[in-house]
Amino acid sequence: MPSKAPPTILLFDSGLGGLTVFREVVKARPDARYIYVADDAAFPYGGIAEAALIERVLAVVGQAIAEHKPDLVVVACNTASTLALAQLRARFTVPFVGTVPAIKPACAASRSKRVAVLGTQATVAREYTKSLIREFAQGCEVALIGSARLATFAEAELHGEPAADAAIAGEIAPCFVDQGGKCTDTVVLACTHYPLLIERLRKLAPWPVDWIDPAPAIARRVAELAGPPASPHQSEPAQIVFTSGRAPSPALKAALAGYGFGEGSSRAN
Ligand code: DGL
């Protein structure tokens, strides 16, 4: 009997943050064919007005779907998912897996019942995020902390140009609240870029907390939809597309090779 062809999985982010989702999804379906679209021409998404961002995401994802005919699309971006997931599902027939702030598991796990959600300024302002808190806070005090610069620092780190400790410490400081005998003990990483900085976040935190990265849960959802791997081996090197058409720097090329990408293919959009 001929074996079923491995699925094509498309991952999409404003930039390189989606790599933190990609590395978990690959573990669940090592045999799939992967296309990663980084909309670096429009990075960062955190500062783009809602109507313009919906239009941009529909256009870029639409073009990628037409070109690569994926079996599944992972929107590896909270800023896009909390805004445009419903429109994407309405417009295209391919199944979508989104990335949204992991407020439910964070609040369930918090012992002090004080949780912070660290995301882009756009993600923490979204009605979608607020509704997750209303539904799943489970008696926790949840602080919404928007960072204007952390996603850019994460990109810089991958380009071999790490931000200064003081700059990162300043972005995460508002997450740490010690009030009324309750200290923040859990921080939701509500931007896929932030796990790229996890070692530095741990080092610079004023006290230890649990950092919640949704990527393993997203990979489990992909495995549910795409089924078990037909083979434990990668079928072909993953491909990355930069919408700016810019060639990756040598440092980034080396980082991408570590994630299992072949030579980058770029395109202007
Ligand atoms: N990686 C994106 C997210 O998960 C956002 C970064 C940005 O473009 O501002 O929200």
Side-chain angles (χ1 to χ4, degrees), residues 165-179:
D165 280 355
I168 293 182
E171 293 297 301
I172 65 172
C175 293
F176 292 83
V177 178
D178 177 0
Q179 226 179 336

Side-chain angles (χ1 to χ4, degrees), residues 13-14 43-46 77-79 120 151 191-193:
D13 182 33
S14 60
F43 177 85
Y45 275 2
C77 176
N78 292 262
T79 310
T120 63
C191 169
T192 54
H193 279 74

Side-chain angles (χ1 to χ4, degrees), residues 29-252:
R29 276 310 300 248
D31 60 325
R33 197 178 140 244
Y34 286 98
I35 316 289
Y36 183 105
V37 175
D39 188 13
D40 64 331
F43 177 85
Y45 275 2
I48 301 181
E50 294 196 346
L53 186 55
I54 291 173
E55 207 180 303
R56 175 77 192 171
V57 168
L58 288 174
V60 175
V61 173
Q63 184 170 340
I65 289 173
E67 210 165 305
H68 301 287
K69 313 214 171 358
D71 299 292
L72 182 70
V73 178
V74 180
V75 183
C77 176
N78 292 262
T79 310
S81 297
T82 52
L83 181 66
L85 206 49
Q87 284 94 333
L88 285 166
R89 287 185 171 133
R91 169 109 29 125
F92 306 105
T93 52
V94 62
F96 284 90
V97 177
T99 306
V100 298
I103 288 163
K104 188 179 180 183
C107 291
S110 171
R111 293 161 306 279
S112 68
K113 297 287 166 204
R114 193 179 283 288
V115 169
V117 177
L118 179 63
T120 63
Q121 289 164 309
T123 293
V124 301
R126 298 254 195 267
E127 179 46 35
Y128 191 107
T129 305
K130 292 178 182 160
S131 74
L132 288 176
I133 294 174
R134 282 196 298 275
E135 209 172 332
F136 299 119
Q138 302 164 69
C140 288
E141 299 267 0
V142 181
L144 287 168
I145 310 299
S147 167
R149 301 196 297 162
L150 218 42
T152 302
F153 293 161
E155 294 262 326
E157 186 100 1
L158 272 184
H159 285 277
E161 293 156 12
D165 280 355
I168 293 182
E171 293 297 301
I172 65 172
C175 293
F176 292 83
V177 178
D178 177 0
Q179 226 179 336
K182 297 197 302 186
C183 288
T184 306
D185 70 353
T186 307
V187 178
V188 177
L189 296 170
C191 169
T192 54
H193 279 74
Y194 302 169
L196 293 170
L197 294 170
I198 190 66
E199 293 313 323
R200 302 196 65 199
L201 299 180
R202 285 205 177 104
K203 189 181 121 211
L204 294 166
W207 58 80
V209 291
D210 288 331
W211 300 92
I212 307 294
D213 175 359
I218 294 164
R220 284 195 294 276
R221 181 68 189 136
V222 169
E224 271 169 27
L225 291 172
S231 142
H233 303 292
Q234 218 175 330
S235 59
E236 56 187 273
Q239 192 192 339
I240 187 159
V241 175
F242 293 97
T243 57
S244 69
R246 273 192 294 272
S249 64
L252 179 57

